[in-house]
Amino acid sequence: MATSPQPDAIVIGAGLAGLVATFELTRAGRRVLVLDQENRNNLGGQAFWSLGGLFFVDSPEQRRLGIKDSFELAWQDWQGSAGFDREDEDLWGRRWARAYVEFAATEKRQYLHDLGLRVTPLVGWAERGGSTADGHGNSVPRFHLTWGTGPEVVRVFLEPVLEAERRGLVEFAFRHRVDELIVEDGAVVGARGGVLEPTDLDRGKASSRNVVGEFEFRAPAVLVSSGGIGHNHDLIRRNWPTERLGPCPETMIPGVPAHVDGRMLGITEEAGGRIVNRDRMWHYTEGLHNWDPIWPDHAIRIIPGPSSMWFDANGKRLPAPSFPGFDTNASMRDILATGHDYSWFVLNQSIVEKEFMLSGSEQNPDITGKDRGLMLKSRLSKGATPPVEAFLRHGVDFVVADTLPELVAGMNKLARGPQLDPADLERQIVARDREVVNKYTKDAQIMAIANARRALGDKLARVAAPHRILAPEHGPLIGVRLNILTRKTLGGIQTDLNSQVIGSDATPFAGLYAAGEVAGFGGGGVHGYNALEGTFLGGCIFSGRAAGRAMARLPR
């Protein structure tokens, strides 16, 4: 295909960051060519499948719930979590971090609200940390759930982009896979690659890589917004931070579609862009094999409340702060330190009904469909939500039993390593259960549960009242095998605050921009070593907006 006249900008990747940049460019009257290796059904990329969590600071929703938040507290939390310690590689990531927290505390909510996005009234408390005030974790609830989940976050940018397409400002070139950035006189001036065979596959399905043609397009500015490496397990293994997290898991299941392959990182580096913080990643320890998969080896993450007991593969309870939903990387280290790549939740029916939420827009049809009646029915009626109940019935990682010996026998059938000792597991559960009979306890997890229930949103919707796990009236018992689920890339292409790529000579690379996950969500690593959750979509929005506005300022 050919474009006429020449576009003002080329956007490589039609995920959320690319759509935001395209939206900003078209608002300024610029012509945009969007290249994507997938078909039109995949517009919005990974963001479409997300839960739609957004990180706001001192929002009206927080204030209505009595949550006292501020830029100062959020910035303290971000720095304590990020742990920036690389003077050169973290130079721009640290600057992006402060700018992003300022954005989250000021205009971010209004920017999205003006586009029609709304959030639910209950604010979630994700990645709670659990060590010191200036350490990792959110000090207060900040996870704002989009009413409509990921598809709604995509919609508010996609609809104006499609309108711009109708007006002739946007042209899409689907099934166009970029293999090379064109560099002339020290500047990026275009892209070339292969045209993949057409497909009408549904969103998320793995598509053919058969090349049926070639292309070359040119423009004064090129944006790389192609996502991370979450489905490229070879690249994950190559960059795995063994010294920091432990040995790379032998078994990993992907929480992102097959097209999330990280190809443009190497292509950008070959052109002269700088890649930093390759070893920083964000993978989850609570992964489930999807009983009804969309992409190959499709994995779903449990977003847990704090009450399940967490055991390693040997049947030993994980130490503080490795409680469900508290410290992702600490939990990863504790699990992998055993020499095995899986762990176990032990809980009961009362906990699963109140505390289990599954990641993914498709796993939350009530909120995704903005159906208040269905939401009230599925969230407040007896039993777990229908998607959770489906996993209880069909999921290969679940065991349900009336007695602990029966439960352990079922768990041992699923074990990829040691056989669990039922007597030792019972000893640990009974010891924990003795701690809930009065208001005093030395058990850090029970203290954390009590603290969580001080947040109104958690008390109403996310945290079960403390009780004995083995109490028959709260049964049956449930065991869940938890696998390592691959998800986010925290490092990537280094960029300045305009999303312009930093070249190998440490100066801005003329004509080249990067946004979203491929840029570590800004600067090559805005999160440092740890994410505070609800920050990934916002990072795509913030960096895509910066890129679009910067490219729109370039002379024609």
Side-chain angles (χ1 to χ4, degrees), residues 36 56 105 161 169 230 259 311 329 363 379 402 419 523 529 547:
D36 199 282
F56 295 141
V161 167
L169 285 177
H259 62 254
F311 298 92
N329 279 340
Q363 298 296 327
R379 307 279 166 171
D402 291 324
Q419 294 290 285
Y529 290 100

Side-chain angles (χ1 to χ4, degrees), residues 173-380:
F174 296 108
R175 302 296 284 160
H176 281 58
R177 185 187 68 191
V178 172
D179 298 320
E180 179 186 358
L181 296 173
I182 303 170
V183 182
E184 294 178 357
D185 299 324
V188 171
V189 297
R192 60 172 65 100
V195 180
L196 305 179
E197 65 181 351
T199 176
D200 60 357
L201 284 171
D202 291 339
R203 180 188 292 274
K205 299 288 187 181
S207 63
S208 164
R209 292 294 177 259
N210 292 334
V211 177
V212 297
E214 298 178 345
F215 70 86
E216 178 178 311
F217 299 122
R218 291 174 175 254
V222 175
L223 171 69
V224 177
S225 53
S226 53
I229 67 173
H231 203 106
N232 189 335
H233 287 182
D234 289 338
L235 199 52
I236 288 171
R237 293 182 192 283
R238 195 182 312 160
N239 294 299
W240 185 267
T242 302
E243 291 185 2
R244 181 160 48 84
L245 294 182
C248 185
E250 181 177 343
T251 300
M252 296 187 289
I253 49 179
V256 293
H259 62 254
V260 185
D261 55 18
R263 289 183 73 255
M264 285 306 302
L265 285 164
I267 292 168
T268 303
E269 186 173 34
E270 186 175 348
R274 189 169 188 227
I275 310 297
V276 295
N277 300 314
R278 301 171 196 266
D279 63 322
R280 293 183 184 170
M281 311 174 190
W282 193 249
H283 306 305
Y284 292 110
T285 54
E286 311 98 336
L288 305 173
H289 295 85
N290 194 346
W291 67 272
D292 187 19
I294 295 170
W295 53 80
D297 300 318
H298 185 179
I300 294 294
R301 182 203 172 200
I302 298 170
I303 303 176
S307 300
S308 298
M309 292 191 72
W310 202 343
F311 298 92
D312 66 25
N314 295 310
K316 302 301 180 185
R317 190 178 178 190
L318 297 188
S322 294
F323 308 138
F326 277 68
D327 192 327
T328 295
N329 279 340
S331 302
M332 182 77 74
R333 285 191 297 271
D334 288 336
I335 291 165
L336 297 180
T338 67
H340 304 285
D341 55 18
Y342 68 100
S343 60
W344 302 99
F345 275 172
V346 173
L347 59 151
N348 57 32
Q349 185 67 25
S350 294
I351 294 173
V352 81
E353 289 181 7
K354 190 75 172 276
E355 299 196 4
F356 266 38
M357 191 172 187
L358 300 174
S359 66
S361 53
E362 82 284 5
Q363 298 296 327
N364 297 275
D366 51 346
I367 302 173
T368 299
K370 297 190 279 189
D371 188 330
R372 288 183 173 84
L374 179 60
M375 182 181 71
L376 291 173
K377 180 180 177 181
S378 63
R379 307 279 166 171
L380 299 180

Side-chain angles (χ1 to χ4, degrees), residues 513-525:
Y513 297 79
E517 191 172 350
V518 75
F521 302 89

Side-chain angles (χ1 to χ4, degrees), residues 439-458:
K439 63 182 179 181
Y440 307 105
T441 182
K442 67 178 181 181
D443 189 291
Q445 184 176 5
I446 296 174
M447 286 189 273
I449 294 168
N451 189 48
R453 285 176 59 84
R454 294 170 64 188
L456 182 60
D458 273 2

